[in-house]
Amino acid sequence: AQKVTQAQTEISVVEKEDVTLDCVYETRDTTYYLFWYKQPPSGELVFLIRRNSFDEQNEISGRYSWNFQKSTSSFNFTITASQVVDSAVYFCATLSGSARQLTFGSGTQLTVLP
Amino acid sequence: DAGVTQSPTHLIKTRGQQVTLRCSPKSGHDTVSWYQQALGQGPQFIFQYYEEEERQRGNFPDRFSGHQFPNYSSELNVNALWLGDSALYLCASSFGVGMNTEAFFGQGTRLTVV
């Protein structure tokens, strides 16, 4: 079975600070994908990033970056120079070959204060 | 290009009643998945439809059923509503059922059972 743990329930930062959201996943599959989604108050889940299990290269995309480490089963997400519009609930999720359905963590509520 | 659209946006039902939620996928998508998101939690997978058949099902009782139409739109039906069925119901569409496919989510239907 797949499991995703987001230990941080709520985080508050001041605008322009960097913030890292933690995610730990569990899966028995060797082939899987990891995702980060953003959910603003409107409710729609917005896709942010996707990574497959064979690519541990960490990348930066604009103000977003992620750190994928298979050795610790972690897939952390960093927002650089946070903005008030980044305030939302962020979900980490996994999708694997044996269970082709997204399994989500419980989410982290990020509040960016002006 | 319209994204995933869901209707209605809000719904109030009485315990024991039945409800039907609707989803139109993003243009070009042929697969629809439904998720239930209770307050303060991550989305939970209900089931997935592809080629008008239920392809996968999460850990939900038979009171939850669905349908996919030839135009790829989908319905989620819940019978004998419980208070615990109160949640945000999210629809996601994608192309095909492969792992390397991006799911787009609608804004959801907020169901309140009283």
Side-chain angles (χ1 to χ4, degrees), chain B residues 17-62:
Chain B
Q17 285 188 315
Q18 179 264 344
V19 68
T20 298
L21 310 181
R22 296 176 176 82
C23 172
S24 292
K26 180 179 171 63
S27 177
H29 286 183
D30 57 7
T31 303
V32 173
S33 302
W34 287 92
Y35 291 80
Q36 180 196 65
Q37 185 179 14
L39 195 62
Q41 298 183 21
Q44 300 286 320
F45 175 76
I46 303 175
F47 43 53
Q48 180 184 74
Y49 277 85
Y50 173 67
E51 293 185 335
E52 301 182 48
E53 291 187 8
E54 182 182 296
R55 298 291 177 164
Q56 287 193 82
R57 188 178 185 91
N59 188 25
F60 279 80
D62 292 344

Side-chain angles (χ1 to χ4, degrees), chain B residues 94-110:
Chain B
S94 58
F95 179 72
V97 292
M99 287 174 54
N100 189 22
T101 179
E102 182 180 334
F104 289 79
F105 284 81
Q107 290 192 319
T109 294
R110 173 73 63 187

Side-chain angles (χ1 to χ4, degrees), chain B residues 50-109:
Chain B
Y50 173 67
E51 293 185 335
E52 301 182 48
E53 291 187 8
E54 182 182 296
R55 298 291 177 164
Q56 287 193 82
R57 188 178 185 91
N59 188 25
F60 279 80
D62 292 344
R63 298 187 298 109
F64 289 78
S65 63
H67 188 76
Q68 185 178 37
F69 299 93
N71 66 353
Y72 308 121
S73 66
S74 176
E75 288 181 351
L76 163 65
N77 301 293
V78 186
N79 293 322
L81 285 166
W82 296 2
L83 297 179
D85 294 332
S86 295
L88 179 67
Y89 288 84
L90 293 163
C91 169
S93 74
S94 58
F95 179 72
V97 292
M99 287 174 54
N100 189 22
T101 179
E102 182 180 334
F104 289 79
F105 284 81
Q107 290 192 319
T109 294

